[in-house]
């Protein structure tokens, strides 16, 4: 683990993360990219492990008037995860945000249906499941994804990213069996500051990657943006 590292793009971040992940032994692993930005990173990890690539969807619930500030997150089917401290500071209740929760859950369902397509979802029970994102900032969307995936009874549930805010890791360890980070820079403001190219990943790229690498037999070479 290094303290500071800037990646050329998500593919480069994925290659660095793959080196770290390969240091461990895994039992029948499956790699899930957290959509959307985590999928190109996860493709490199899945390729390195010769493991199938799948997707996990988690949607941030933003603060009223400041949607970029996440105070919770929701998945297509799992429970809502709240940042209770932020809710208290803002004087908000769960009921106040129910319309936002329902809207984001519908969007999560739409994305999951789009990404999954006609493919059968990977079986997770009894397997090592590695959830990959391009970075860990507050961790609220990752926590929601992990909590939902835990219901599938994986052998182990791991979160992995090329760069992580150190202060977000302890809370994430409450949901994951372990957290793997290549870099934990002390002056972390946003995930994008640790990538030279942090272009938005669109739905078409996610679908293309899943179509190509879902079986775990091909090699993802990066690029494509």
């Amino acid at each position: 683990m290094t303290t500071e590292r800037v990646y050329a793009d998500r593919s480069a971040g994925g290659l660095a993360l793959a080196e770290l992940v390969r240091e461990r032994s895994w039992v029948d692993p499956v790699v899930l990219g957290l959509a959307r930005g985590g999928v190109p990173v996860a493709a490199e990890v899945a390729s390195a492990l010769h493991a199938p690539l799948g997707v996990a969807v988690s949607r941030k619930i933003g603060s009223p008037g400041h949607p970029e500030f996440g105070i919770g997150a929701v998945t297509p089917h799992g429970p809502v995860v709240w940042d209770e401290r932020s809710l208290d500071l803002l004087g908000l209740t769960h009921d106040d945000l129910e319309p936002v929760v329902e809207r984001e859950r519908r969007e999560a369902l739409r994305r999951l249906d789009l990404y999954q397509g006609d493919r059968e979802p990977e079986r997770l029970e009894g397997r090592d499941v590695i959830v990959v994102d391009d970075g860990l900032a507050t961790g609220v969307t990752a926590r929601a994804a992990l909590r939902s995936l835990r219901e599938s009874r994986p052998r182990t549930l791991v979160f992995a990213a090329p760069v992580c805010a150190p202060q977000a890791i302890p809370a994430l360890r409450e949901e994951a069996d372990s957290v793997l980070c290549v870099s934990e820079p002390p002056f972390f403001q946003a995930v994008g500051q640790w990538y030279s190219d942090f272009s938005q990943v669109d739905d078409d790229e996610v679908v293309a990657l899943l179509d190509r690498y879902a079986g775990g037999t091909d090699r993802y070479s990066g690029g494509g943006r």
Side-chain angles (χ1 to χ4, degrees):
M1 185 272 293
T2 59
T3 56
E4 290 193 19
R5 186 168 181 174
V6 176
Y7 303 102
D9 55 18
R10 289 181 178 86
S11 178
L15 288 169
L17 182 60
E19 292 181 11
L20 178 63
V21 169
R22 276 189 298 209
E23 294 176 1
R24 294 196 174 197
S25 297
W26 304 96
V27 175
D28 196 13
V30 57
V31 180
L32 303 179
L34 196 56
R36 288 180 296 201
V39 177
V41 183
E44 295 288 6
V45 176
S47 176
L49 297 180
H50 304 287
L53 173 66
V55 65
V57 180
S58 181
R59 294 286 296 172
K60 178 171 62 178
I61 300 168
S63 170
H66 299 281
E68 72 284 352
F69 179 65
I71 55 178
V74 66
T75 62
H77 305 290
V80 184
V81 171
W82 296 106
D83 182 341
E84 298 290 352
R85 182 172 179 273
S86 293
L87 289 179
D88 290 343
L89 289 172
L90 295 169
L92 295 170
T93 68
H94 298 176
D95 289 343
D96 294 334
L97 295 160
E98 189 61 30
V100 182
V101 170
E102 290 307 312
R103 183 183 72 229
E104 295 301 338
R105 194 185 294 277
R106 286 194 300 271
E107 175 61 14
L109 280 165
R110 183 198 71 80
R111 290 193 181 195
L112 183 61
D113 289 344
L114 173 65
Y115 301 152
Q116 196 65 45
D118 296 329
R119 292 183 302 274
E120 286 292 324
E122 285 288 334
R123 172 187 57 83
L124 304 183
E125 184 175 359
R127 304 176 72 175
D128 288 339
V129 176
I130 308 165
V131 180
V132 174
D133 204 359
D134 50 17
L136 176 69
T138 65
V140 66
T141 54
R143 287 169 55 205
L146 291 165
R147 189 171 298 181
S148 178
L149 291 166
R150 182 70 72 180
E151 297 177 359
S152 298
R153 300 172 63 186
R155 176 181 177 271
T156 61
L157 186 58
V158 175
F159 177 84
V163 60
C164 300
Q167 64 270 22
I169 295 174
L172 204 62
R173 287 190 175 126
E174 297 176 7
E175 307 291 345
D177 296 307
S178 61
V179 178
L180 303 180
C181 300
V182 179
S183 176
E184 299 174 25
F187 302 107
F188 187 107
Q189 293 180 318
V191 174
Q193 78 184 100
W194 306 104
Y195 288 87
S196 298
D197 177 4
F198 200 59
S199 305
Q200 184 174 2
V201 177
D202 61 25
D203 287 339
D204 289 343
E205 183 176 354
V206 172
V207 172
L209 287 169
L210 293 170
D211 282 344
R212 186 172 181 185
Y213 304 103
T217 58
D218 207 341
R219 174 72 178 89
Y220 175 54
S221 60
R225 288 191 300 277

